[in-house]
Amino acid sequence: MKPASFKYYSPESLEEALRLKAQYGDEARILAGGQSLIPAMNFRIMQPAVLLDLNLLSELSYISTKDGKVLHLGAMTRLNEVEDDVVIADRLSLLHEALPYIAHPQIRNRGTVGGNIAHADPAAELPVVALAMDSRFRVQSINGSHWIDSEDFFRGYFETAIDSSEILVEIEMPFISTCTGWAFLEVSRRPGDYAMAGIAALVTLDSNQICRKARLVYLNLSDAPLDAKQSADLLVGEVQSDDLIMAVAIKASEEEIMPMESLHATVNYQRHLACILTKRALELAFGRARQR
């Protein structure tokens, strides 16, 4: 298959890219890594009139921890760079644990952080991690830039809060605090395939091993990353027990997630996977929290 005809621009500065985005608006699609966009164009699922290639914008490729508390990622930073960063492995273990689940090494060599997040695939790993970590996203237009919280960013199936004149330029993610355990798990038919279900879990304990904060965010179990707040709230104020974890897993899988049936997994099977993954993730997160 070949894509439909389109205009191609390769801006040499962010200012030029923003002018072009303002000019063409919804007609223009951003080419970052292209690992999702190009196949969709080849199958003509997507037929943009204009393609804006950001690969010359080295200013959008960086990993910074300048303030010691928050990770700053340029939108054009390659996934493999994030995967190999030692500070991220130490201070943002949830992100580090999720990255190897993203497709294959060849894809991560080209794929970008911003492209993965802005594409907003409900089966993608980074949007789920970003939401679990209370990340923020900086978007920019010719009129300036502003930040969008992760809970307001993902609107639905391949839909975000980015305006037609804006480009995602930076991701901000806070480091994992002391006494917080994490876990990222997913199930796919083969390594590198789209996940049938997945979860990012965070649990923060006090000195008495009582849970003071928890987060459970699911992938591919709704049309966007799903934050199971009611299920996570069951953990707060409690000490880990098998009965507690089972109750949380049942509530999340039966009441909060909203699976979309596919050729690879029925709704009932996805609920079953969600229950199993929730139990495993919480056991792992509680154990890591105690160690920290």
Side-chain angles (χ1 to χ4, degrees):
M1 296 291 290
K2 295 182 179 180
S5 61
F6 57 88
K7 292 181 180 179
Y8 173 82
Y9 294 96
S10 183
E12 297 183 0
S13 68
L14 179 58
E15 290 74 17
E16 182 184 358
L18 293 172
R19 286 197 301 270
L20 288 166
K21 194 69 172 75
Q23 178 182 348
Y24 289 105
D26 286 330
E27 293 183 327
R29 292 301 300 262
I30 300 298
L31 175 62
Q35 302 304 292
S36 298
L37 176 60
I38 297 303
M41 290 176 61
N42 285 340
F43 283 105
R44 302 204 176 190
I45 297 171
M46 294 183 182
Q47 300 185 39
V50 177
L51 207 58
L52 298 183
D53 186 347
L54 302 189
N55 280 277
L56 294 182
L57 305 188
S58 58
E59 62 198 283
L60 295 184
S61 178
Y62 56 85
I63 299 174
S64 173
T65 56
K66 54 188 176 184
D67 56 11
K69 296 180 180 180
V70 177
L71 172 71
H72 300 270
L73 293 172
M76 288 298 293
T77 308
R78 306 293 172 181
L79 296 171
N80 69 318
E81 297 177 51
V82 181
E83 184 178 6
D84 295 337
D85 189 274
V86 293
V87 175
I88 292 174
D90 179 52
R91 302 295 303 278
L92 271 164
S93 304
L94 179 64
L95 173 61
H96 180 73
E97 188 162 274
L99 281 160
Y101 285 98
I102 301 175
H104 303 280
Q106 297 88 338
I107 301 295
R108 298 195 295 276
N109 286 341
R110 288 296 303 167
T112 63
V113 175
N116 188 286
I117 288 173
H119 188 56
D121 189 328
E125 290 80 6
L126 284 192
V128 168
V129 172
L131 181 56
M133 292 297 301
D134 288 324
S135 303
R136 298 197 303 160
F137 308 104
R138 184 164 67 89
V139 297
Q140 191 164 342
S141 70
I142 58 173
N143 297 317
S145 67
H146 64 99
W147 291 93
I148 304 175
D149 293 336
S150 55
E151 63 181 12
D152 300 319
F153 187 81
F154 301 102
R155 298 281 180 84
Y157 199 63
F158 297 113
E159 183 182 0
T160 71
I162 301 175
D163 187 75
S164 61
S165 64
E166 296 174 332
I167 294 175
L168 176 62
V169 294
E170 184 179 5
I171 296 90
E172 180 186 275
M173 192 174 293
F175 290 148
I176 291 179
S177 62
T178 305
C179 299
T180 296
W182 71 93
F184 184 91
L185 298 170
E186 68 175 46
V187 174
S188 58
R189 297 185 69 184
R190 296 170 301 183
D193 281 0
Y194 284 106
M196 292 181 282
I199 182 175
L202 290 169
V203 173
T204 302
L205 303 182
D206 64 14
S207 58
N208 296 316
Q209 309 299 313
I210 297 173
C211 177
R212 293 307 178 192
K213 186 178 180 181
R215 202 75 182 265
L216 299 171
V217 184
Y218 294 86
L219 68 87
N220 212 18
L221 293 173
S222 180
D223 62 352
L226 191 145
D227 190 359
K229 295 181 179 180
Q230 296 178 19
S231 300
D233 285 346
L234 292 179
L235 297 165
V236 178
E238 302 291 341
V239 177
Q240 179 188 2
S241 70
D242 292 342
D243 289 342
L244 174 64
I245 290 178
M246 177 60 75
V248 173
I250 291 174
K251 183 175 182 61
S253 60
E254 294 185 0
E255 298 181 23
E256 290 208 74
I257 67 171
M258 296 176 285
M260 298 177 292
E261 190 167 10
S262 70
L263 293 174
H264 306 296
T266 65
V267 168
N268 286 338
Y269 185 55
Q270 285 181 298
R271 291 191 185 280
H272 170 72
L273 290 177
C275 185
I276 298 299
L277 290 174
T278 302
K279 290 190 291 184
R280 292 178 179 176
L282 285 176
E283 289 169 357
L284 190 56
F286 268 106
R288 287 169 168 171
R290 286 194 295 271
Q291 291 173 4
R292 289 167 63 89

